[in-house]
Amino acid sequence: MSAIQADYLVVGAGAAGMAFVDALIDHADVKVVLVDRRYAPGGHWLDAYPFVRLHQASAFYGVASTVLGTGRVQTTGPERGLHERATAAEVTAYYQHVLQRMTASGKVAFHPSCEYVGENRFASLLSGKRYEVSGSCRVVDASYLSPDVPAHTAPPFEVADDARVIPVNDLVRVTDAPSQFVIVGSGKTATDACVWLLGNGVDPDTICWVRPRDPWMLNRAVVQPDPAVFLGMVADTMTSAADATSPDDLFLRLEAAGVMLRIDRSVTPTMAKTPTIAQWEIDLLRSIGNVVRLGHVRRVEQGRLALTEGDVTVARDALVVHCAASGLKYPPLIPVWGPDAITLQPVRSGFPCFGAAVIGYVEATRDDDAEKNRVCPPSCLPDTPTSFARMQVLGNRAAQAFTAEPDIREWANQTTLNPARIPAEKAGDPDVAAALDRYRKHAVAGFARLAEFAATA
């Protein structure tokens, strides 16, 4: 077994791990060993379906030291006027560039294709060679919320021998033009698959969409790297929350304010993971009329789907596309700084890259774990309208805690990962001031009502 001297052993080189390490090494003179089961940095982006893009503006994603993309506003296409969104290839190339910067600093050693086995040890999946990092190092778990992806997750239903089922990644390899596509899933992956098929000329009448739950989604137009736009959305959220009578009523008010979107206006969604989506995508998705709402798929056979609430007939040559992996994870919230590891979790509402970077900065600039946990209490990820309210409450408490620290507030206002930052050139903007005034007017009542909703979670 080879011995390695280091201050930190970071398990996972995905978005959270990379953001943490980047902020840590920029503010502390430390040695970091970074390990990942995959062959390169980038986490699930290395296994993503080829046509995926970031669902948010590129500037909100990545690491604090290096902006992803050019920061340009799109001037053509259906998202004209909105900030660019990186492709999977651009994201993975970006992380490779960031890793080169990290290793060139002399502070980071990257060990790809390696698995952490506990007790400060990891092993190569290729050679079997085993390593042990010095006992004084801190373990950082950057995999606590790692998503599952269809490419490496078996369908959560039985598949008969004569049925045709593929993961969403394989859609780009289809060459036989089946008479029907069956999309299984309710989330962002399923919506991306439908949009991609429709964008490639597939007749919407040949698509059957199995949607166990209808989703609420954030309007991408109001989640932009412009403080007047983003803070205006936050103000609309607080105004809606202050007047809402229930979690469902909150989302209906957010829809009326242009913050939330849903595909079918006749159905009240029960899912609120809230990825961003554009109106042009919603318009395309509404062209699919064959939507199956009979619960989850239990079994796929040739010409038939068995669901928890009934069976449906499909074409005998139907191609079933598996989009049903668990993207977001919901393990228990635990202190970020624990006795055995630093466990990366959100420390505000959404924007996990920024949260991981905040944790890295706090780790670099503070000594006492109790103080670190006070400054960065964990928040949750949303799944339902009720848990969305809980995320807002916990995320606000965390943001209030770390922005109360002058150095953290100053650092956070310098990185584009922070959606709430106000660049110096925008400090006197009247639209920004108006959004802040609206937020302040409704924040106390809004968060109080959200806390009432969250208490029912």
Side-chain angles (χ1 to χ4, degrees), residues 215-221 251 254-255 258-265 269 275-280 282 286:
W216 281 114
M217 291 171 280
L218 273 166
N219 184 349
R220 189 174 296 129
F251 275 80
L254 289 172
E255 180 184 42
V259 173
M260 292 291 171
L261 297 171
R262 55 177 161 167
I263 303 162
D264 190 335
R265 295 188 184 96
T276 68
I277 197 166
Q279 185 62 55
W280 69 270
I282 289 286
R286 285 175 177 162

Side-chain angles (χ1 to χ4, degrees), residues 181 183 191-192 248 329 360 373 380 414 436:
F181 290 91
I183 307 300
T191 60
D192 282 353
D248 283 342
K329 294 294 186 64
N373 278 321
C380 63
Q414 305 305 312
L436 285 171

Side-chain angles (χ1 to χ4, degrees), residues 187-411:
K188 178 181 181 291
T189 301
T191 60
D192 282 353
C194 291
V195 168
W196 186 80
L197 287 172
L198 294 167
N200 279 278
V202 173
D203 189 324
D205 291 338
T206 66
I207 298 176
C208 170
W209 190 354
V210 179
R211 224 156 62 208
R213 298 190 292 168
D214 270 51
W216 281 114
M217 291 171 280
L218 273 166
N219 184 349
R220 189 174 296 129
V222 301
V223 188
Q224 293 291 300
D226 178 332
V229 173
F230 184 83
L231 294 174
M233 180 274 293
V234 175
D236 286 338
T237 301
M238 289 300 103
T239 303
S240 298
D243 295 331
T245 58
S246 68
D248 283 342
D249 183 51
L250 166 63
F251 275 80
L252 293 174
R253 290 174 182 272
L254 289 172
E255 180 184 42
V259 173
M260 292 291 171
L261 297 171
R262 55 177 161 167
I263 303 162
D264 190 335
R265 295 188 184 96
S266 69
V267 176
T268 300
T270 59
M271 187 165 80
K273 298 183 180 183
T274 61
T276 68
I277 197 166
Q279 185 62 55
W280 69 270
E281 293 171 296
I282 289 286
D283 293 339
L284 276 179
L285 295 171
R286 285 175 177 162
S287 70
I288 300 173
N290 186 5
V291 178
V292 176
R293 296 184 177 91
L294 292 173
H296 294 278
V297 176
R298 294 188 298 106
R299 180 176 170 83
V300 175
E301 300 173 355
Q302 187 178 52
R304 174 179 170 271
L305 304 178
L307 299 101
T308 53
E309 299 173 22
D311 296 354
V312 295
T313 300
V314 295
R316 291 189 64 78
D317 71 332
L319 183 63
V320 178
V321 184
H322 160 38
C323 303
S326 299
L328 297 186
K329 294 294 186 64
Y330 305 97
L333 296 183
I334 60 176
V336 173
W337 283 268
D340 299 319
I342 298 171
T343 304
L344 303 187
Q345 298 159 86
V347 292
R348 57 152 291 136
S349 298
F351 302 92
C353 291
F354 176 56
V358 170
I359 294 171
Y361 176 86
V362 169
E363 172 63 18
T365 57
R366 282 144 175 85
D367 296 324
D368 181 68
D369 281 1
E371 173 65 8
K372 296 172 193 174
N373 278 321
R374 183 193 67 79
V375 170
C376 290
S379 179
C380 63
L381 295 174
D383 180 50
T384 65
T386 300
S387 61
F388 175 87
R390 181 170 182 251
M391 176 189 72
Q392 297 294 328
V393 172
L394 294 179
N396 177 64
R397 290 174 182 170
Q400 292 287 339
F402 68 71
T403 57
E405 303 291 312
D407 65 311
I408 303 177
R409 185 171 62 249
E410 181 179 359
W411 167 80

